[in-house]
Amino acid sequence: MSIHIAAQEGQIAEVVLFPGDPLRAQYIAETFLENVTRYNTVRNMFGFTGTYKGVPVSVQGSGMGIPSAMIYAEELYQSYGVKTIIRIGTAGGMKESVKVRDIVFGQGATTDSSCLTNIFNGQVSFAALADFKVLDTAYHLAAEKLPKENIHVGNILSSDRFYNEEMDKGKLARYGVLAVEMEAAGLYAVAAKHNRQALAMCTISDHLITGEETTAEERQTTFTQMMEVALGTAYALQSK
Ligand code: HPA
């Protein structure tokens, strides 16, 4: 038991998929996993464990934003011995070469969040990074499924505010920032604190600069491709 996750020790797998929406977690568990049990209903932030090709995998809702995601990541690593958390989400495209429906891997996550500033007492701007082995595994699985031009690896922005008119997104895009979401930097910081692994992968749902959008059907197709990559990664990490 931890404060926000009411699971028993051993009920959560070593690899956890981490969508923002708890109903998305339920959909993933019901659609892609076998032998599913629900280990958490606290605050309706559902968590499930099942098997994928015989290997245990958990799916835990993170909620929206860095503060929420950091709570769940901290408890997963600290109280349940989780080794790897893979965020699966959507992001808004920023760099023009990134198109809607593409997959973006956050090799690093830039942020305006005081959560990261405060960890280091404002002394440094911490470079929040994905685990290279997890990234490498996921990237190669994605490259088997999608054309290379639809896969991007690099810097993403983990913004504290969804509605943020003040952020100079054009400048960030010129500095190579691929896309904006709201959790990765917090996840990477907690993983670093516990010397564990994390990766954030996102499908591009809309484009902030070009205004391009996806239909619900297109979103579902790309989401399924990303799920296959995430689950394939979870499988590969545990069967090596
Ligand atoms: N901002 C933050 N997070 C997002 C966005 C966005 O525009 N689109 C999808 N996730």
Side-chain angles (χ1 to χ4, degrees):
M1 289 279 284
S2 57
I3 293 175
H4 304 90
I5 303 176
Q8 303 303 315
E9 226 175 287
Q11 275 192 308
I12 303 182
E14 285 184 2
V15 181
V16 178
L17 307 190
F18 207 41
D21 179 356
L23 292 180
R24 201 17 90 81
Q26 180 168 336
Y27 172 82
I28 292 164
E30 286 171 354
T31 310
F32 299 100
L33 301 183
E34 290 174 334
N35 312 309
V36 173
T37 55
R38 186 170 66 182
Y39 63 74
N40 192 51
T41 59
V42 177
R43 288 177 181 254
N44 283 333
M45 197 58 81
F46 303 137
F48 303 86
T49 299
T51 58
Y52 178 74
K53 296 184 179 170
V55 169
V57 178
S58 295
V59 195
Q60 171 66 54
S62 72
M64 286 186 285
I66 286 176
S68 179
M70 285 179 87
I71 290 173
Y72 293 99
E74 179 81 32
E75 293 183 20
L76 289 170
Y77 290 130
Q78 173 69 37
S79 303
Y80 299 100
V82 167
K83 290 190 174 154
T84 312
I85 300 179
I86 303 174
R87 162 161 161 69
I88 40 176
T90 58
M94 287 173 59
K95 217 177 155 180
E96 230 164 280
S97 57
V98 174
K99 309 290 180 205
V100 294
R101 301 185 57 188
D102 288 358
I103 291 189
V104 171
F105 294 102
Q107 182 180 19
T110 292
T111 188
D112 61 343
S113 175
S114 62
C115 293
L116 273 85
T117 312
N118 291 341
I119 291 172
F120 297 97
N121 297 318
Q123 290 170 329
V124 297
S125 174
F126 180 70
L129 300 179
D131 179 86
F132 181 72
K133 184 181 168 192
V134 183
L135 172 60
D136 186 47
T137 305
Y139 175 79
H140 285 97
L141 283 169
E144 286 171 15
K145 287 186 189 300
L146 294 155
K148 287 243 168 84
E149 62 266 27
N150 298 120
I151 309 167
H152 308 268
V153 181
N155 205 349
I156 58 175
L157 172 65
S158 299
S159 175
D160 251 356
R161 283 180 292 146
F162 186 91
Y163 299 106
N164 187 340
E165 293 84 24
E166 293 77 20
M167 180 81 71
D168 187 348
K169 299 200 179 86
K171 181 167 184 177
L172 286 164
R174 288 195 295 282
Y175 273 68
V177 176
L178 301 167
V180 55
E181 52 81 76
M182 299 184 68
E183 293 82 16
L187 170 62
Y188 291 177
V190 180
K193 175 183 173 186
H194 293 279
N195 193 23
R196 306 278 169 81
Q197 299 174 318
L199 172 67
M201 61 175 87
C202 294
T203 57
I204 301 299
S205 55
D206 54 295
H207 203 291
L208 273 63
I209 312 281
T210 65
E212 207 188 349
E213 285 177 2
T214 41
T215 64
E217 197 184 328
E218 286 172 339
R219 274 201 296 276
Q220 191 59 38
T221 311
T222 34
F223 174 75
T224 302
Q225 283 171 334
M226 180 173 63
M227 279 316 309
E228 287 164 2
V229 171
L231 287 162
T233 304
Y235 178 81
L237 290 173
Q238 294 183 87
S239 56
K240 263 177 197 163

